[in-house]
Amino acid sequence: MCDFKNTVSDPIALDPRKRVRYETGLVLGVQEFLQDQFHLRERDRLHQRSLHGYGTVVGLEIGQRAADGGGPEVVVGAGLAIDPRGETICVPATQCARLDEWLSGQRDEIDEHFASPPGALSLYVVLCHRECATDPVPVLGDPCRDTADNTRPSRIADDFELSLRFEPPEQPEEDAARAFGELLRSFEIASGPGPALDQEAVEDQVRSLVDGSPPVVQGPASPPFGGRLEPSEAPHLLAAAYRVWITEIRPLLAAGRAGCELSEERCVLLARLDFDIAEGPAGDLVVDGEVLIDESDRPLLLATRIFQELLPTAAGETIAGVENHADLNGLGLDDHPQYLLVDAVTRALIADLDGGGRRIVALADGSASGDAVTFDQAIKVGDGAGGDLGGTYPNPSVGALQGRPVAPAAPAVGQVLTWDGTRWEPDALPAAGPVLSDDLTRVVALSWRHGAFSNLDLIHNGQPAFGVALAFGGEGIDDSRSPVQSATLTAQTVFLQVHLPLDGSPFPVCMRIPATVIPSRVVGVDGNDLITETRTVNGNLAPAVVALVDSETAEFLRLSGATVEVVLRGDFILDRQDRAINGEHITGVLPTGDRSAAGDRLGLQGGTFESWLRLPRRGEIVVGGLDLNRADESELVTLPRIGPRLAERIVAERERRDGFDRLDDLATIPGITPAIIAGLRQLPN
């Protein structure tokens, strides 16, 4: 037993803002060396994090291959990355992971996350920095230290950790930086008609990128965003945008640390893996089919050396052209022979650029677009016109269009040229009709009934979700002759707006709902509900789109009894022929209840499609216009296949449960069959 211990002063907390002040007679201990090292490392990480950012710097290529013995193997190449704390992560050699083995080891966690093995699974490849204590050496002992405790690690090695996760690491600054770049690219510096943006408008657009605490990155607002900047004002306005980004937005993203303290996130996203899983012969989980690698959300950090190549070199070898000649000055002694010398007295190029009667001679015949032409090649006064033109220049006449003759008769007011099979004749304007072709892509199905009640329930990728889905096609849901381009399906072209009732006011509050827009396809129909999954065809085509909201947003909307308006910008969404799809300004009955059968060919190419749905307040289950949580027995018997006895049982079960949560709760009542519930679900509201 030892009753005495060495006397050691309390350690001083390490502070990244402090470094040791060396002084003669200063006693140096472990704490002083740790403080000096901590200060230098923090300054290095602060530099990386604040001035450069984070992400993949070199290598770390993601691929896949067949593992020995079967099954896919994910491969991560050697490389270098910077994490959100500014820490350097080096992966010195290629790493690999066998997905089937990983799934078998994670069976309990998969069951916990998904209740039962899902058909589709998404995993995230994540790279993290870690430190390892190495190189143990003997250290001085004390009377109380055990002999097994006489060594200590003498080095700390920088190391890495590659892992597969169910959730990606948080990267709000990366998302915000991308949104800020998108906004900057949307500014057009040009003179022109119409109002230009002022400083207040520019600053407000930057502020709209991030909202709330903790900050939520929203991205640029729906079209129109960006706008025109007057060239004379552009430097000042862009400087204002940079100032708001630096002084207001980045502090929000730093979550109160103002860039002076470390981020809590230590990992970098490399890729998302999407694949299906199934039960293997031995009851274990295995990958079923292809593994898709998605690196679209991966942060990348470009070396600053590359930006030097994008700028004019100091030696002037790649100086960009001067667009404003007023910026040219100091050329008085520049007399290179390839320049047109100007003398204020004898060679002044003013007014009509008079060159003193001189001509450009020895010019070769033009042979390519943009070449100047000689006198012989130029069209001159008196030259005869050809092709569809007759007569001579400068006043030729039109005798044909595309080689087909035009009748000489003069048109009357309001007439247009029409083709009669032989020639173009003036005729009255044809009667107006639908501006669309038979194969034009249009909305053919919805996951809700226009103007009716809905809970925003979806089955997406085999899992329950909240949101809405729109299917596109020609003659039906499965028609894929002319699907839309998935790149044009975004939160700017398909979005949700909510109208909230405001007590005491005749006008509701209208606001945008944050929604994730996912190009998808329809794989089935459950009653009136479309069953969807994420999939692209040939890289950029998809016959449907899903706008998902999170469960908290859906719960808030139900509590509020909101009305949700679904807006689709048909003029911005293109089919595979680069044509605007058939949007609509009116509503009718689609196969799910939104376009009339008689008017199924009506609509406009482009335009805006609008539909809306009502959300029952929490506690409301609306079926056939009745609320199952409030209707009495006399009202319930008006529903199909609900007689007096079933109505009595419904009321009794409702009182016992203190209200139903969903329509499927009726399945616990004797006599209520799945067929009855399916029939109730089909009723219009």
Side-chain angles (χ1 to χ4, degrees):
M1 178 176 178
C2 180
D3 295 324
F4 297 89
K5 296 182 179 179
N6 292 340
T7 300
V8 180
S9 60
D10 293 335
I12 302 174
L14 300 180
D15 189 333
R17 299 167 299 176
K18 297 179 181 179
R19 63 182 186 273
V20 176
R21 181 181 183 275
Y22 295 101
E23 184 71 42
T24 302
L26 176 65
V27 177
L28 298 178
V30 172
Q31 198 70 15
E32 282 67 38
F33 291 111
L34 289 176
Q35 176 61 56
D36 241 21
Q37 186 183 73
F38 186 66
H39 169 73
L40 293 174
R41 295 186 72 227
E42 288 300 285
R43 186 173 61 177
D44 179 61
R45 290 190 287 211
L46 181 64
H47 174 90
Q48 295 272 39
R49 180 177 67 252
S50 301
L51 298 183
H52 299 297
Y54 62 89
T56 299
V57 180
V58 178
L60 300 175
E61 181 181 9
I62 305 290
Q64 60 177 304
R65 64 191 180 194
D68 296 337
E73 188 173 63
V74 178
V75 180
V76 179
L80 183 72
I82 305 295
D83 74 9
R85 293 168 59 89
E87 197 75 69
T88 302
I89 313 174
C90 182
V91 180
T94 298
Q95 310 292 314
C96 59
R98 296 186 176 184
L99 288 180
D100 286 352
E101 293 181 4
W102 187 92
L103 290 171
S104 297
Q106 304 294 322
R107 181 61 183 263
D108 291 342
E109 191 170 356
I110 292 175
D111 290 342
E112 180 182 348
H113 271 74
F114 303 102
S116 62
L121 184 66
S122 293
L123 296 178
Y124 297 88
V125 183
V126 177
L127 176 64
C128 308
H129 176 267
R130 71 174 182 181
E131 296 179 343
C132 299
T134 66
D135 302 308
V137 297
V139 296
L140 293 176
D142 60 45
C144 301
R145 181 176 294 172
D146 188 87
T147 56
D149 199 27
N150 285 338
T151 61
R152 286 287 188 271
S154 64
R155 302 290 186 269
I156 297 176
D158 287 324
D159 205 349
F160 69 91
E161 177 184 288
L162 270 169
S163 61
L164 297 174
R165 298 184 180 181
F166 293 107
E167 299 294 336
E170 297 289 340
Q171 50 183 39
E173 186 154 0
E174 167 71 11
D175 297 337
R178 293 188 181 192
F180 186 46
E182 183 181 353
L183 178 61
L184 292 176
R185 289 189 295 272
S186 69
F187 291 137
E188 178 187 10
I189 303 176
S191 297
L197 296 178
D198 58 15
Q199 180 173 334
E200 181 180 1
V202 170
E203 292 178 348
D204 286 344
Q205 290 200 33
V206 178
R207 292 187 181 103
S208 70
L209 298 178
V210 177
D211 182 51
S213 179
V216 176
V217 179
Q218 302 184 127
S222 60
F225 60 87
R228 186 174 63 83
L229 308 181
E230 283 290 346
S232 60
E233 290 292 317
H236 166 69
L237 296 178
L238 291 176
Y242 302 149
R243 183 180 66 255
V244 172
W245 170 259
I246 292 170
T247 62
E248 299 183 27
I249 303 303
R250 290 200 70 183
L252 283 177
L253 299 171
R257 296 184 299 272
C260 298
E261 297 179 15
L262 291 178
S263 168
E264 296 178 359
E265 182 57 66
R266 297 171 177 265
C267 301
V268 178
L269 175 65
L270 298 185
R272 189 186 76 218
L273 309 178
D274 296 320
F275 53 91
D276 292 336
I277 63 176
E279 294 275 357
D284 53 346
L285 297 179
V286 296
V287 176
D288 182 16
E290 182 182 5
V291 177
L292 301 179
I293 299 175
D294 185 351
E295 300 180 67
S296 58
D297 289 334
R298 175 180 189 164
L300 302 173
L301 193 58
L302 192 65
T304 53
R305 173 65 179 83
I306 301 302
F307 294 106
Q308 181 179 340
E309 291 299 313
L310 299 176
L311 300 173
T313 67
E317 298 171 359
T318 58
I319 298 295
V322 177
E323 297 182 0
N324 187 351
H325 290 185
D327 292 337
L328 293 171
N329 55 69
L331 301 180
L333 300 179
D334 197 343
D335 59 354
H336 292 77
Q338 67 267 34
Y339 295 160
L340 177 63
L341 300 180
V342 177
D343 181 271
V345 177
T346 61
R347 298 182 182 178
L349 296 179
I350 58 175
D352 293 331
L353 304 181
D354 181 7
R358 294 173 174 79
R359 298 188 178 93
I360 298 176
V361 298
L363 186 66
D365 288 348
S367 60
S369 176
D371 286 353
V373 298
T374 63
F375 179 81
D376 293 336
Q377 289 181 293
I379 297 177
K380 299 172 287 298
V381 173
D383 285 352
D388 287 345
L389 301 179
T392 60
Y393 291 98
N395 298 307
S397 59
V398 177
L401 293 176
Q402 296 183 338
R404 296 171 175 81
V406 176
V413 175
Q415 288 185 327
V416 296
L417 285 178
T418 59
W419 179 250
D420 66 1
T422 304
R423 63 180 182 177
W424 297 100
E425 290 273 6
D427 202 350
L429 186 68
V435 188
L436 51 81
S437 56
D438 288 343
D439 64 344
L440 189 67
T441 299
R442 61 183 184 273
V443 180
V444 296
L446 309 173
S447 64
W448 72 94
R449 285 185 180 273
H450 173 72
F453 282 99
S454 172
N455 284 318
L456 294 175
D457 294 323
L458 281 179
I459 300 297
H460 184 65
N461 289 338
Q463 296 295 321
F466 299 104
V468 296
L470 301 84
F472 303 102
E475 296 299 330
I477 296 177
D478 297 323
D479 180 19
S480 59
R481 289 180 303 147
S482 186
V484 297
Q485 297 182 27
S486 62
T488 62
L489 296 173
T490 68
Q492 283 74 49
T493 56
V494 181
F495 53 89
L496 310 180
Q497 297 186 141
V498 59
H499 299 262
L500 298 173
L502 190 63
D503 292 340
S505 173
F507 303 104
V509 174
C510 180
M511 57 186 288
R512 282 282 291 274
I513 308 174
T516 302
V517 176
I518 306 174
S520 304
R521 70 169 184 168
V522 175
V523 296
V525 179
D526 180 11
N528 291 324
D529 297 329
L530 305 180
I531 302 175
T532 57
E533 69 176 21
T534 301
R535 191 197 68 162
T536 58
V537 183
N538 298 330
N540 71 332
L541 302 175
V545 62
V546 175
L548 294 179
V549 300
D550 58 49
S551 58
E552 292 183 2
T553 300
E555 181 70 7
F556 165 74
L557 296 176
R558 286 195 291 267
L559 283 171
S560 306
T563 296
V564 176
E565 182 182 11
V566 184
V567 180
L568 178 146
R569 295 293 301 273
D571 47 346
F572 284 92
I573 301 176
L574 306 179
D575 64 13
R576 72 170 66 175
Q577 284 82 34
D578 292 326
R579 304 173 303 179
I581 71 164
N582 171 16
E584 296 197 358
H585 297 280
I586 59 174
T587 55
V589 178
L590 288 175
T592 54
D594 196 64
R595 182 189 292 162
S596 63
D600 63 345
R601 309 298 288 177
L602 296 179
L604 297 173
Q605 183 169 346
T608 301
F609 173 86
E610 297 179 1
S611 184
W612 58 275
L613 57 99
R614 294 178 292 166
L615 291 168
R617 292 185 183 272
R618 186 172 183 179
E620 289 182 341
I621 303 177
V622 181
V623 176
L626 295 179
D627 180 4
L628 294 183
N629 278 332
R630 292 173 177 81
D632 58 26
E633 295 178 19
S634 64
E635 293 172 318
L636 291 173
V637 295
T638 63
L639 296 174
R641 302 180 65 178
I642 303 296
R645 180 165 297 181
L646 285 182
E648 180 181 351
R649 292 175 182 174
I650 291 173
V651 172
E653 179 68 7
R654 182 177 71 196
E655 293 176 353
R656 187 187 69 81
R657 301 169 64 111
D658 194 21
F660 300 116
D661 293 323
R662 59 188 188 278
L663 178 60
D664 290 336
D665 288 345
L666 298 182
T668 62
I669 300 174
I672 300 292
T673 65
I676 292 177
I677 294 177
L680 294 177
R681 185 174 283 114
Q682 298 288 339
L683 294 177
N685 291 318

